[in-house]
Amino acid sequence: MQAAQYSAYGVPKDVLKVSSLNIPEIEHPDELIIKVSAAGINPVDYKVMQGDLKLVFKVPFPSVPGLDFSGVVTARGSAVVDFNVSDEVYGRVAAFGRGTTAEYIKVSTTRDVIKIKPPNVSHTQAASVGTAAMTASTILLIHGKINESKGKKVLVIGASGGVGSWVVQIAKHLGAVVTGICSKANIEYVRKLGADTVIDYTAAPLESTLTTTNEFDLVADCVGGENYWNLSQKILKPNGSFVTAVGPTAHGNAVTFGAVFSLLGGLAWKSLTNTRKYSFVGQLPKESFESVHTWISGGFITPVANQIFPLDSIVQAYEVLQSHRSVGKIVNNIEGK
């Protein structure tokens, strides 16, 4: 089979190659073999590949990148009862290194997240769900508590990106009033996702645009950096929540011991000195996928795969992702059709 693979830490263009590997086989009774139709990619994938997160996540070499997938079951272990051969499934693997940008993958029905693919979405759409949608659901339900009452006001920073696109859709489904921040080129896209108000961050400094004191119940930061937390001191309600999917350091920087201690110290300090809650999405519980699966199956939200690349163009896909100017989700079409 063909799979994207890297054997050392480095930037994708230097280390990532499409190689021929053996098709995986069932080793444990809880496992499935899946013929992958499409695989989603996320910023965390290239951060792991580059070694930016090796303090937290070490991977075996050679490694296959990717966490999100959609495909068809071709074999199942003796203990699997919820899935059959030929079932169309989608989900997210739990571990880095045994990734999803391959023609076949092996998944654990106990450790990994896997569901029957809703018939109302394609494999390409389904592969865009996983990490980004689980992050958005975690921001809104676990940290932001947006589901507790309708009409809450949510500000989404990076509303046109992979996670931000999901935050906008889910927040609207939960009855929130949503303001999205993006560039001028993506205003219509964010409006179509359901945002009530869209702000072009290139038109004027956000400090001069967001001037209403105590306006928002939740600020969902999908970009990173301390500036947005500082801005939120004025625009968040006194007991509002600032939730970041990235942290105080913007996308593209390595995680060092200093960065980890700075993050932990900053979280502790912010919680002690401010009634406005600051939280970082560090874990994605399986339950976050359950919610998203229910919403997609019911037609309440729609996965959007905006940019699709074949497997042999995976380096180009990562370059677009690393530009931080991609719109929505990037997906690799593994089966090429």
Side-chain angles (χ1 to χ4, degrees), residues 87-315:
D87 280 348
E88 294 187 323
V89 295
Y90 76 130
R92 180 184 188 266
V93 298
F96 294 100
R98 55 181 183 88
T100 58
T101 47
E103 291 182 314
Y104 289 85
I105 60 173
K106 178 169 59 179
V107 302
S108 164
T109 56
T110 54
R111 295 189 306 274
D112 301 321
V113 175
I114 180 169
K115 287 286 186 182
I116 297 293
K117 182 184 72 66
N120 56 330
V121 298
S122 67
H123 282 296
T124 302
Q125 288 175 298
S128 74
V129 180
T131 302
M134 290 174 72
T135 301
S137 177
T138 301
I139 288 172
L140 293 167
L141 298 182
I142 296 177
H143 294 280
K145 311 293 185 185
I146 290 302
N147 56 318
E148 293 183 352
S149 62
K150 294 188 181 299
K152 289 191 175 183
K153 290 191 173 183
V154 177
L155 176 68
V156 186
I157 301 166
S160 61
V163 173
S165 295
W166 281 104
V167 174
V168 172
Q169 277 205 79
I170 295 173
K172 281 303 298 179
H173 172 62
L174 295 173
V177 178
V178 179
T179 298
I181 296 175
C182 63
S183 67
K184 181 179 179 180
N186 299 325
I187 287 176
E188 286 307 311
Y189 169 71
V190 175
R191 281 193 180 129
K192 288 179 180 178
L193 292 174
D196 299 281
T197 303
V198 185
I199 297 171
D200 172 13
Y201 71 86
T202 67
L206 292 177
E207 292 81 357
S208 63
T209 305
L210 295 165
T211 57
T212 303
T213 303
N214 302 336
E215 180 177 6
F216 295 100
D217 297 280
L218 170 66
V219 173
D221 169 33
C222 306
V223 175
E226 281 288 277
N227 290 341
Y228 297 117
W229 165 250
N230 296 332
L231 171 65
S232 296
Q233 301 310 296
K234 177 181 178 181
I235 61 176
L236 262 179
K237 293 178 180 178
N239 291 309
S241 296
F242 178 95
V243 186
T244 177
V246 184
T249 303
H251 276 305
N253 296 305
V255 174
T256 63
F257 278 109
V260 172
F261 286 128
S262 177
L263 173 61
L264 294 176
L267 288 172
W269 177 252
K270 290 178 176 75
S271 66
L272 288 172
T273 61
N274 206 308
T275 62
R276 295 171 175 87
K277 296 179 284 292
Y278 181 104
S279 56
F280 170 69
V281 180
Q283 293 183 321
L284 301 179
K286 282 188 174 183
E287 293 76 14
S288 62
F289 195 90
E290 295 279 352
S291 300
V292 173
H293 175 70
T294 299
W295 297 327
I296 294 172
S297 299
F300 301 112
I301 58 176
T302 303
V304 181
N306 297 73
Q307 298 173 83
I308 303 168
F309 294 83
L311 180 60
D312 59 10
S313 296
I314 191 167
V315 171

